[in-house]
Amino acid sequence: MTDCSGILEYLQNIGNSQSEFERRALEALREPIESGQIRIARAGQRIEFPARFQLVAAMNPCPCGYLGEARCRCTPDQIMRYRNKLSGPLLDRIDLMIEVPAPDEAELSARAAGESSATVRARVARARERQLDRQGKTNAHLSVDEIDRHCPLDEAAAALLKQAMARLKLSARAYHRILKVSRSIADLTGNTQISTPHIAEAIHYRRGFW
Ligand SMILES: [Zn+2]
């Protein structure tokens, strides 16, 4: 049974909250991220609410946000306390972690040369269609049995994942999540088979800056 009092209290106090989440509010997300449900138990009553959501979050590398620059005055202890707000089990449930360095002046003034949002949107829509045609649901919602069925790896990709599991000391949960992300990366490129570049990219997203 999950105690969601942390997140409920946070939501009740959202009007006067600080800019950052308390650790217990963040920890309360662990169960709904995994199960897609919030279970609340109070005075002998137990209620379940649907809570399937996509978590998108951002944080600074240190409390002041200028880590690595002369103007950062954070002590190693402050940085450690700040990062410890996110527990290992919570990080384990986050599939894509990307470090975004501050752009320099030249980058800010240059025109963006990337693809348009419409092009990317069309690619994502095609990838979702592939998933629904293949398995009747998106990759994010595959069970462990379904992952075995729909995310087979070729020999080289399987060897790379095995190596990463040992070297990065990844959990069983991380293993299954990497398979689902690599399935999505293969779907985005129109590949039916998951191969080494797809697995390598999925592993890369999991490493973050920790
Ligand atoms: Zn700092």
Side-chain angles (χ1 to χ4, degrees):
M1 196 176 300
T2 308
D3 180 10
C4 290
S5 57
I7 193 167
L8 289 175
E9 197 173 300
Y10 173 76
L11 291 171
Q12 282 159 4
N13 296 325
I14 203 158
N16 53 14
S17 69
Q18 296 172 349
S19 59
E20 293 167 0
F21 295 84
E22 286 181 24
R23 185 181 165 110
R24 60 183 177 150
L26 294 169
E27 288 299 299
L29 291 171
R30 277 165 50 179
E31 171 73 15
I33 285 176
E34 204 73 353
S35 67
Q37 289 186 322
I38 287 184
R39 301 187 187 97
I40 296 173
R42 285 283 185 285
Q45 298 284 317
R46 187 183 155 149
I47 304 174
E48 291 185 359
F49 292 106
R52 194 171 269 184
F53 61 96
Q54 185 169 41
L55 175 69
V56 180
M59 74 180 291
N60 286 319
C62 66
C64 83
Y66 298 114
L67 188 71
E69 296 180 32
R71 55 183 162 169
C72 173
R73 293 282 179 264
C74 304
T75 65
D77 192 46
Q78 284 173 321
I79 294 169
M80 197 173 71
R81 266 206 310 278
Y82 180 72
R83 293 191 178 186
N84 280 348
K85 279 190 170 186
L86 300 182
S87 70
L90 178 61
L91 288 172
D92 209 25
R93 289 161 167 81
I94 298 177
D95 291 331
L96 312 177
M97 283 181 262
I98 299 169
E99 187 177 353
V100 186
D104 59 27
E105 263 177 63
E107 284 171 311
L108 277 175
S109 55
R111 284 174 61 91
E115 293 174 290
S116 71
S117 295
T119 306
V120 177
R121 185 183 188 282
R123 188 161 65 237
V124 171
R126 280 197 301 275
R128 283 181 67 90
E129 266 171 40
R130 280 190 196 104
Q131 294 167 33
L132 297 176
D133 287 348
R134 180 178 59 232
Q135 64 217 13
K137 56 173 78 173
T138 59
N139 295 336
H141 298 141
L142 291 176
S143 67
V144 171
D145 285 348
E146 290 165 339
I147 290 171
D148 288 342
R149 201 173 325 137
H150 298 296
C151 307
L153 304 182
D154 63 26
E155 210 172 305
L160 175 65
L161 181 53
K162 194 177 168 191
Q163 203 180 13
M165 289 290 297
R167 193 176 299 170
L168 303 173
K169 298 188 170 32
L170 298 173
S171 67
R173 176 179 291 113
Y175 175 84
H176 289 119
R177 284 178 170 270
I178 287 171
L179 285 174
K180 289 195 279 187
V181 171
S182 61
R183 176 71 271 171
S184 292
I185 294 167
D187 288 338
L188 282 166
T189 51
N191 286 96
T192 48
Q193 175 66 52
I194 302 172
S195 55
T196 310
H198 309 132
I199 281 285
E201 190 176 341
I203 293 166
H204 176 76
Y205 289 138
R206 186 153 280 273
R207 297 182 67 175
F209 53 87
W210 261 257

